[in-house]
Amino acid sequence: MLRKIRSILWKDVFLFVVGGDIYIIMEICYRGYSHWSMFALGGVCFLGLGYINRFFSWDTPLVLQMLIGMLLITTLELITGMIVNVCFGWGVWDYSQKPFNLFGQICLSSSVGWYFLSAVGIILDDYLRWWIFGEEQPHYCLFRKKAIVSG
């Protein structure tokens, strides 16, 4: 039992670090800078994307997984933004000048971007779990229950 818990924790820590690193790199490429809190947010988002296939079946269409991922990331960004920007006043980001924003912490254009980036995160997590941890080989359906991608 303890060995299984340790294995799960090791996977989650590894994937958290991968997700945090990717998020920081994306921000630096897009904005030219980042903040340490974005490492934590990226790690949690990546773990969340990875758990979509654990809570739903592999037969869940990828477009639906992407929608779930978008909603997850947007929600986590709102919560993080309310903490780091509104409560702590760190000014990590401000979307108040963008149309369709909520409290300047999330906006529609970013959510649309997260929709498409969710596919990358979902697939990357699944393949890392397969290659490194020997979990089930990834397979997806785009809209219906017909496999479209197989390793």
Side-chain angles (χ1 to χ4, degrees):
M1 179 67 168
L2 185 58
R3 177 176 270 176
K4 183 173 177 126
I5 291 170
R6 203 174 313 155
S7 173
I8 291 169
L9 285 175
W10 155 242
K11 284 183 215 179
D12 284 351
V13 167
F14 174 80
L15 294 168
F16 178 90
V17 169
V18 168
D21 287 344
I22 290 171
Y23 204 99
I24 292 283
I25 291 167
M26 284 184 349
E27 275 216 321
I28 291 171
C29 289
Y30 182 73
R31 298 189 324 165
Y33 63 95
S34 190
H35 186 267
W36 69 265
S37 61
M38 298 299 92
F39 176 83
L41 176 59
V44 172
C45 288
F46 194 64
L47 283 176
L49 291 174
Y51 275 92
I52 291 173
N53 278 337
R54 275 114 201 107
F55 289 115
F56 301 93
S57 81
W58 282 101
D59 292 334
T60 303
L62 186 58
V63 293
L64 179 56
Q65 291 183 49
M66 291 164 60
L67 179 64
I68 294 165
M70 176 198 75
L71 293 172
L72 173 76
I73 294 170
T74 300
T75 301
L76 290 170
E77 285 221 322
L78 177 61
I79 293 167
T80 303
M82 296 304 287
I83 294 168
V84 303
N85 295 324
V86 177
C87 291
F88 294 158
W90 291 347
V92 178
W93 72 84
D94 180 6
Y95 295 143
S96 60
Q97 301 303 314
K98 292 197 172 206
F100 306 107
N101 77 80
L102 182 61
F103 308 121
Q105 303 310 306
I106 57 173
C107 64
L108 182 61
S109 62
S110 291
S111 291
V112 170
W114 290 126
Y115 175 78
F116 294 103
L117 285 171
S118 287
V120 176
I122 290 164
I123 293 169
L124 178 60
D125 172 86
D126 292 339
Y127 274 89
L128 288 174
R129 287 176 180 273
W130 178 47
W131 292 329
I132 296 172
F133 301 110
E135 291 187 11
E136 184 177 356
Q137 182 177 0
H139 54 279
Y140 306 93
C141 59
L142 191 53
F143 300 107
R144 294 182 280 164
K145 294 182 178 186
K146 181 180 178 189
I148 60 161
V149 177
S150 182

